[in-house]
Amino acid sequence: EAGVAQSPRYKIIEKRQSVAFWCNPISGHATLYWYQQILGQGPKLLIQFQNNGVVDDSQLPKDRFSAERLKGVDSTLKIQPAKLEDSAVYLCASSAGLHNEQFFGPGTRLTVL
Amino acid sequence: KQEVTQIPAALSVPEGENLVLNCSFTDSAIYNLQWFRQDPGKGLTSLLLIQSSQREQTSGRLNASLDKSSGRSTLYIAASQPGDSATYLCAARDPGGTSYGKLTFGQGTILTVHP
């Protein structure tokens, strides 16, 4: 069974630029999550989708971050414009349902200069 | 709001030692608690998941316990090996409702096992 795929693995941009991350969850998983992990901290949930609907985006900085889940499968997370404090690893995870085990992708490491 | 704390922040031990990692959470109304391993530059790998009705789970040299009433969980690693070196994270899952089963993570314990 293929795991959660993410791309790119690494991205370096300058502040005020835009960036987008892509996630392909495990086939058949209805729930998809985006987490932000700042160096030295645990992951923090940014947004959670159930199929193609958002169920929790309470910690998403909506003035600069946006996310969508196309046809309930792949998802993209966008930052526009980026700030220095957005430097972090962005992790995507998926699960079969809201209370099922989450499986994580390798993450995208973003550096904002 | 759930808060999860892990102690110690870092731990260095010689190979062969038994060790304990600690995790505490502020809200005892959890659905389950999960321990993860994170290697440098990698995603998270699930190690053990303890349901709220359970007291412990075991997998190989790993044993995780859960005491909901005191808001604590421990991960016990027996006969540590250099390959165990990684960051260990615990996460408490909300029971549901408006929180939709949200995972709240601790900040992790960085474990180094010396040969």
Side-chain angles (χ1 to χ4, degrees):
Chain A
E1 178 182 273
V4 177
Q6 290 188 248
S7 67
R9 293 296 313 279
Y10 305 92
K11 189 74 175 178
I12 300 174
I13 62 172
E14 295 190 349
K15 61 182 179 182
R16 291 187 290 272
Q17 285 187 323
S18 301
V19 65
F21 313 128
W22 174 82
C23 172
N24 180 239
I26 292 173
S27 178
H29 279 192
T31 314
L32 186 145
Y33 314 78
W34 283 102
Y35 291 87
Q36 179 192 59
Q37 186 177 22
I38 293 172
L39 185 65
Q41 299 181 17
K44 180 185 80 172
L45 180 69
L46 292 176
I47 189 167
Q48 178 179 341
F49 293 92
Q50 180 69 10
N51 296 308
N52 60 352
V54 175
V55 297
D56 186 353
D57 62 356
S58 57
Q59 298 191 96
L60 186 74
K62 299 180 186 63
D63 57 333
R64 298 184 300 107
F65 285 65
S66 64
E68 62 179 0
R69 189 175 185 194
L70 305 173
K71 298 181 181 178
V73 182
D74 292 5
S75 177
T76 55
L77 176 69
K78 297 179 181 178
I79 307 175
Q80 180 180 9
K83 293 184 175 182
L84 297 176
E85 57 262 36
D86 297 333
S87 294
V89 175
Y90 291 84
L91 295 163
C92 180
S94 70
S95 63
L98 288 176
H99 286 99
N100 294 94
E101 184 177 359
Q102 293 183 26
F103 295 86
F104 284 78
T108 296
R109 181 176 297 277
L110 173 67
T111 301
V112 182
L113 303 176
Chain B
K1 178 185 173 185
Q2 180 72 273
E3 292 182 4
V4 179
T5 304
Q6 291 185 245
I7 295 174
L11 183 62
S12 181
V13 300
E15 183 176 5
E17 274 205 5
N18 302 323
L19 57 98
V20 175
L21 306 182
N22 296 292
C23 171
S24 62
F25 45 96
T26 55
D27 187 347
S28 62
I30 62 171
Y31 187 81
N32 58 40
L33 187 131
Q34 200 164 356
W35 283 90
F36 293 88
R37 169 183 173 140
Q38 186 172 34
D39 293 284
K42 302 286 181 64
L44 278 65
T45 301
S46 179
L47 296 173
L48 290 165
L49 186 153
I50 313 175
Q51 299 293 348
S52 61
S53 58
Q54 297 175 321
R55 293 297 298 250
E56 65 178 321
Q57 280 286 333
T58 298
S59 176
R61 295 182 293 109
L62 305 180
N63 176 276
S65 67
L66 175 65
D67 185 342
K68 271 184 55 176
S69 61
S70 66
R72 294 180 182 178
S73 177
T74 61
L75 178 67
Y76 175 83
I77 302 178
S80 59
Q81 303 171 357
D84 294 331
S85 298
T87 298
Y88 291 80
L89 295 149
C90 70
R93 169 158 272 170
D94 288 347
T98 57
S99 65
Y100 297 99
K102 174 184 171 182
L103 273 180
T104 301
F105 283 85
Q107 75 276 27
T109 294
I110 302 172
L111 173 64
T112 304
V113 181
H114 299 286

